[in-house]
Amino acid sequence: MTLKKIELHLHLEGAAPPSFIRGLAARDGVDLPRIFDAQGRYIYAGFADFLRVYEAATALIRTPADYAHLVGVALEQCAEQGAIYVELFVSPEFCGGADLPAWRDYLAAMTEAAEVLGAQGVDSRAIVTPIRHRGSERARWSAICAAETAGGWVTGFGLGGDETVGRPQDFAWSFDCAREAGLGLTCHAGEWAGPQSVRDALALGVTRIGHGVRAIEDPALVARLAEQAITLEICPVSNIALGLYPDWRSHPISRLADAGCRVTVSTDDPPFFHTTLTREYDRLAETFGWTEAEFTAMNRWAAEAAFCDDATRQRLLAALG
Ligand code: ADE
Ligand code: ZN
């Protein structure tokens, strides 16, 4: 499908191809962690192990130049899929240990790389992302990094990591700090935790939910998401690859859309799940009969929910048609 697309949910390290990680290990002369199968693809068993593999790969991405290189690689991959606008989850905790001066160095390098790709037609913004299983105290440092560098490339704040650890309200201070700095808010919820986690995320004042698919287990919550025009950043292949749903037919995206929810489609960590934006769209068309009109409507919702300035939003809406 050659449609113009918007991707709202892409973890930067999760976009690193295995060859990128292997190249860094070879450069630094370090042993590769046990994260690849015999064919050289990422291998993991379930969500907790996925997070372990993710962080083991991430540990090899060290310098601001490495991160800038990765931003270029990730956005080039998006461009190949027809993406015109991408929001990347970036974590100060991985980029210099959530230390503000170090974060500024990483951010300057990444912003420069993003500008190069912007000039080639893929606009992007960053969502600063604390890692939930590292705790709310460390998240505060990420929130401070986000607030101090808000504007420019950094326009959003979100919470990633292991949803089975703690609760969204543990991170209220960080979300308040980010909101006061003018950042858009999103939170992973309703992926590994049930509908209550989506309600807890909404209480933080988010306008978007990362995944949110398990809202389908609570019809009143689905109605509320539709009514409040909350945008769901849905990553179907991620949900299937990690075992949340056994197959495409049982994925709730189509039921959420039919119930009036603003569903959008993203890839989460594409090389980990052997997916691309185009593959997600093709499977949606095959499984649920979605047509170009449905994909365009979905991308318009994504543009409306994007953490960008209004001029950018109008330009995206015009480009989507
Ligand atoms: N970090 C990278 N991918 C993630 C996911 N799907 N959920 C939570 N944290 C993540
Ligand atoms: Zn995610």
Side-chain angles (χ1 to χ4, degrees):
M1 201 162 294
T2 53
L3 283 172
K4 289 181 181 151
K5 305 177 183 76
I6 290 182
E7 168 124 78
L8 294 181
H9 190 118
L10 178 61
H11 296 264
L12 178 57
E13 298 86 2
S19 58
F20 182 90
I21 298 298
R22 273 194 294 272
L24 294 178
R27 178 198 67 186
D28 293 342
V30 297
D31 288 340
L32 265 180
R34 293 159 66 89
I35 57 175
F36 298 121
D37 66 11
Q39 284 75 45
R41 297 172 304 195
Y42 290 110
I43 184 169
Y44 49 85
F47 183 58
D49 197 43
F50 159 76
L51 289 175
R52 176 193 67 78
V53 168
Y54 187 103
E55 294 196 14
T58 296
L60 296 169
I61 315 169
R62 290 189 308 106
T63 67
D66 292 345
Y67 266 90
H69 185 191
L70 179 54
V71 166
V73 167
L75 293 178
E76 270 166 25
Q77 290 175 164
C78 293
E80 284 163 18
Q81 301 302 315
I84 55 171
Y85 177 87
V86 178
E87 290 184 3
L88 286 167
F89 288 112
V90 293
S91 300
E93 291 177 46
F94 295 144
C95 298
D99 167 71
L100 183 57
W103 166 245
R104 286 192 196 280
D105 290 344
Y106 280 87
L107 182 61
M110 290 191 284
T111 303
E112 207 173 299
E115 280 166 3
V116 171
L117 270 293
Q120 294 171 26
V122 203
D123 206 353
S124 65
R125 299 291 186 275
I127 301 173
V128 167
T129 309
I131 317 294
R132 181 156 163 174
H133 51 273
R134 294 182 172 210
S136 56
E137 192 55 41
R138 290 174 80 167
R140 291 180 185 222
W141 291 101
S142 286
I144 290 166
C145 287
E148 291 293 328
T149 56
W153 196 48
V154 172
T155 57
F157 185 76
L159 181 62
D162 192 342
E163 249 181 64
T164 65
V165 178
R167 300 182 67 187
Q169 52 266 50
D170 301 338
F171 298 86
W173 187 95
S174 295
F175 276 85
D176 288 346
C177 172
R179 182 187 312 99
E180 282 163 24
L183 294 168
L185 303 180
T186 180
C187 181
H188 282 65
E191 181 192 17
W192 297 101
Q196 185 58 43
S197 70
V198 176
R199 294 183 185 279
D200 292 344
L202 292 175
L204 295 170
V206 302
T207 57
R208 299 180 0 197
I209 301 279
H211 299 283
V213 285
R214 291 190 57 196
I216 199 72
E217 297 165 24
D218 180 343
L221 177 60
V222 171
R224 178 174 167 199
L225 292 172
E227 156 95 18
Q228 295 184 1
I230 299 294
T231 298
L232 302 179
E233 307 155 6
I234 300 187
C235 310
V237 172
S238 163
N239 297 154
I240 295 165
L242 290 172
L244 193 56
Y245 299 105
D247 52 36
W248 270 93
R249 272 262 137 240
S250 34
H251 195 283
I253 186 168
S254 177
R255 283 175 284 148
L256 288 163
D258 289 346
C261 293
R262 292 186 169 223
V263 304
T264 62
V265 168
S266 293
T267 57
D268 215 5
D269 309 283
F272 285 80
F273 307 135
H274 315 297
T275 191
T276 63
L277 265 184
T278 308
R279 214 163 285 161
E280 306 268 351
Y281 282 51
D282 287 348
R283 293 294 98 78
L284 284 164
E286 275 167 31
T287 314
F288 302 116
W290 286 13
T291 64
E292 197 162 320
E294 268 130 358
F295 289 119
T296 299
M298 191 181 79
N299 277 303
R300 291 181 70 84
W301 281 329
E304 285 170 16
F307 297 149
C308 66
D309 54 281
D310 271 344
T312 302
R313 194 181 324 284
Q314 292 313 322
R315 190 175 53 69
L316 293 175
L317 287 167
L320 292 170

